[in-house]
Amino acid sequence: MRRFVDLHTHTTASDGCLAPEELIAAADRKKLAAVAVTDHDTIDALARARAAAEGYADLVFVPGIEVSAKSATGTLHILGLGIDEGAPGLVELAGQLRQARDERNPKIVAKLQALGADIDMDDVRAVAAADPSFGRSRIISRVHMAEALRRKGCVRTAKEAFQRYIGDGCPAFVDKERLVPADVIATLREAGGLAALAHPVELEYGNRLQLERILRDLIRAGLNGIEVYHSNHSPAQTRLYLDLARGHDLTVVGGSDFHGPAKPDARLGIPRVPLAAITGEFAERFLRP
Ligand code: AMP
Ligand code: MN
Ligand code: MN
Ligand code: MN
């Protein structure tokens, strides 16, 4: 019996390094009971991941997405897990998210140029399209811009690109969020999914009370899950989020946020997320077939 799951991973449809088929194979090698594919703002990897998962009898595939929405302090991420990727509202949402990126990316590049960086959109597209599995339809994120800056010799590492130029609040940063969490949550739930707050540690909350206030607003908007386990959570944070999940009747979920070598600290299947920790309707429908 497999006992652990990973419900937060990225593929080459967004800023991950493994193609959907490679990710599914890697999840099976890790002996995971279930893996969710949750690319940023796109559902393009899901059909391929599902088809690949059919080849592994002991691995459950969960179709997902990680959507960026506006928060009081910038951005928050909402995971949709167990979504029907054919749902019209979700398809429309993905289109809106792609358009927001298409409009934002040249603005970041223009800021970089104004700061003296020798880089254009073709350099960024070349990085994203270097992986042939999605080619030009790949979601372009700041990870690709960081790599383009590195290849052009503007920075020595992608990390430096975030620190100096494109990290949140840095001189070339441009945000892209237009959707409020309530609309994202509604769309994910209409698509049959669980809507879970991703990595609460990234919310700029001062203390537990402030986090609870944010959480209550999201719950009022329909949030029904929380990512308790995540590669960036300390044991104390994990305990806090577990406590909040219980107190607010939220489904517990968790995963690594695996991207491949682009984010070496997030390893597939780590932290270990017990299948048994995930309860309720979502677990019954998607994790215990
Ligand atoms: P975007 O969705 O285009 O705003 O890009 C966000 C992605 O960039 C995140 O999903 C991370 O993979 C990555 N990222 C954001 N901030 C940093 C940072 N400070 N260092 C490294 N990667 C980052
Ligand atoms: Mn990412
Ligand atoms: Mn995220
Ligand atoms: Mn993620």
Side-chain angles (χ1 to χ4, degrees):
M1 256 302 267
R2 295 184 172 195
R3 288 169 37 229
F4 299 99
V5 302
D6 189 334
L7 301 179
H8 188 158
T9 71
H10 296 269
T11 75
T12 46
S14 66
D15 53 7
C17 300
L18 297 189
E21 296 79 8
E22 294 170 328
L23 179 85
I24 294 294
D28 191 68
R29 280 197 302 273
K30 298 275 181 197
K31 303 260 184 288
L32 293 174
V35 64
V37 169
T38 56
D39 276 304
H40 296 287
D41 300 348
T42 182
I43 48 183
D44 288 358
L46 301 182
R48 283 174 53 180
R50 176 180 294 106
E54 276 166 18
Y56 301 96
D58 298 326
L59 179 70
V60 173
F61 165 67
V62 179
I65 187 170
E66 180 177 21
V67 181
S68 317
K70 270 192 237 179
S71 78
T73 51
T75 301
L76 66 78
H77 289 173
I78 298 167
L79 292 169
L81 293 171
I83 48 171
D84 166 10
E85 71 253 34
L90 189 62
V91 173
E92 193 190 325
L93 179 80
Q96 288 172 341
L97 293 163
R98 184 178 291 272
Q99 194 187 340
R101 284 182 182 273
D102 286 347
E103 288 170 19
R104 166 229 216 187
N105 291 338
K107 290 184 190 164
I108 296 183
V109 168
K111 282 193 166 187
L112 288 168
Q113 288 169 348
L115 291 164
D118 172 26
I119 187 175
D120 60 27
M121 266 312 292
D122 281 339
D123 298 320
V124 179
R125 285 191 202 102
V127 170
D131 185 289
S133 47
F134 290 91
R136 288 199 162 245
S137 75
R138 192 174 187 185
I139 281 282
I140 294 182
S141 93
R142 280 181 284 158
V143 169
H144 304 119
M145 298 193 186
E147 175 61 12
L149 286 165
R150 194 191 64 79
R151 287 189 194 173
K152 297 289 280 191
C154 305
V155 290
R156 267 184 302 184
T157 63
K159 192 179 164 130
E160 186 188 339
F162 277 96
Q163 285 166 348
R164 281 180 54 195
Y165 294 115
I166 58 175
D168 292 25
C170 292
F173 176 72
V174 177
D175 86 353
K176 63 184 182 316
E177 279 68 28
R178 300 175 197 169
L179 300 168
V180 294
D183 291 341
V184 173
I185 291 166
T187 303
L188 295 173
R189 293 199 58 180
E190 276 161 27
L194 177 84
L197 174 64
H199 40 60
V201 68
E202 280 183 27
L203 292 177
E204 290 175 25
Y205 64 88
N207 55 41
R208 178 185 172 128
L209 276 178
Q210 283 163 353
L211 174 58
E212 263 191 296
R213 197 172 307 143
I214 300 170
L215 211 47
R216 262 197 219 99
D217 284 344
L218 291 170
I219 291 167
R220 215 171 291 128
L223 189 86
N224 54 352
I226 181 169
E227 192 171 41
V228 166
Y229 304 91
H230 184 273
S231 47
N232 288 349
H233 292 172
S234 70
Q237 286 162 340
T238 303
R239 281 194 299 274
L240 168 63
Y241 306 146
L242 193 56
D243 200 41
L244 290 173
R246 288 181 181 141
H248 294 274
D249 200 19
L250 293 166
T251 298
V252 170
V253 294
S256 60
D257 210 349
F258 176 75
H259 283 66
K263 278 195 177 177
D265 294 343
R267 290 156 56 214
L268 189 64
I270 306 291
R272 287 205 179 271
V273 179
L275 175 60
I278 301 165
T279 55
E281 191 202 338
F282 167 72
E284 293 308 318
R285 281 179 59 207
F286 291 97
L287 301 181
R288 312 196 208 289

